[in-house]
Amino acid sequence: MAVVLARIDDRLIHGQVMTSWVNFTGANKIIVIDDVTAKDSFLCMTIKSLVPSNIRAEVYTREQSVEAFLSQKESDKIIVLAKTPEPYVYLQEHGVSFDHINIGGMGIKKGRKTIYKNISASDEELTMLKTLADNGARVYIQMVAENPRMELDKII
């Protein structure tokens, strides 16, 4: 199994993921980690209907995601999507590590402050991002594959 993109984006699947990142990475699977989405059959169906027919989409709760990662095929090229950094911290704590974590869309909402252009994070989310980096993940902002990467440690 190869994780070709681990992305934090509160919109999960949308145009940028489907056009830019799928083409750039050559992914054949998308794994969404989000408790609310995973527990709602309509949202799961919607997520799965948004991906091209040659790409499999799977939706897991945070807890289910640990086992899901352990059972992936070697041929899988996976894009992982989560709304916040929390599922990635949980996975790290349970033995699943990521070399790179892309911040693509963390919108402005109550309790968050702007950290770079249209990217915002709460103090708790910033702590989680730093934890991910301290545990070996390269954390960066990059909206689409064609844009340059902006390393998180240079911003905060």
Side-chain angles (χ1 to χ4, degrees):
M1 164 193 75
V3 173
V4 294
L5 178 68
R7 182 174 168 95
I8 299 167
D9 193 325
D10 39 18
R11 299 166 293 176
L12 297 174
I13 293 180
H14 56 89
Q16 287 175 338
V17 170
M18 296 317 305
T19 56
S20 176
W21 288 111
V22 168
N23 291 333
F24 180 77
T25 62
N28 61 6
K29 183 184 282 189
I30 295 175
I31 292 179
V32 172
I33 305 169
D34 183 62
D35 289 355
V36 172
T37 303
K39 293 175 182 176
D40 185 317
S41 60
F42 178 76
L43 288 176
C44 285
M45 181 186 66
T46 302
I47 289 286
K48 292 175 182 180
S49 71
L50 292 172
V51 301
S53 60
N54 63 325
I55 297 176
R56 244 179 37 239
E58 299 173 357
V59 183
Y60 298 106
T61 64
R62 181 185 69 167
E63 288 79 14
Q64 293 168 331
S65 68
V66 175
E67 187 174 322
F69 275 98
L70 298 175
S71 65
Q72 297 303 314
K73 297 177 191 169
E74 278 190 43
S75 60
D76 287 334
K77 295 171 79 179
I78 302 169
I79 292 176
V80 182
L81 300 171
K83 291 182 177 183
T84 69
E86 193 277 332
Y88 293 107
V89 171
Y90 182 85
L91 284 164
Q92 268 189 349
E93 290 170 348
H94 289 83
V96 179
S97 61
F98 296 90
D99 296 330
H100 299 83
I101 297 177
N102 167 276
I103 302 170
M106 293 178 67
I108 297 169
K109 67 179 185 180
K110 186 176 181 178
R112 284 184 174 172
K113 59 184 174 191
T114 300
I115 58 172
Y116 180 78
K117 294 187 179 183
N118 60 341
I119 305 294
S120 61
S122 67
D123 290 339
E124 181 181 21
E125 290 167 330
L126 284 172
T127 299
M128 286 186 248
L129 291 168
K130 289 176 187 175
T131 298
L132 292 166
D134 290 345
N135 289 326
R138 180 177 170 204
V139 181
Y140 61 92
I141 294 171
Q142 187 177 17
M143 297 305 288
V144 292
E146 298 78 16
N147 293 146
R149 291 181 178 183
M150 182 65 75
E151 301 296 329
L152 185 67
D153 62 353
K154 293 187 171 46
I155 297 168
I156 56 173

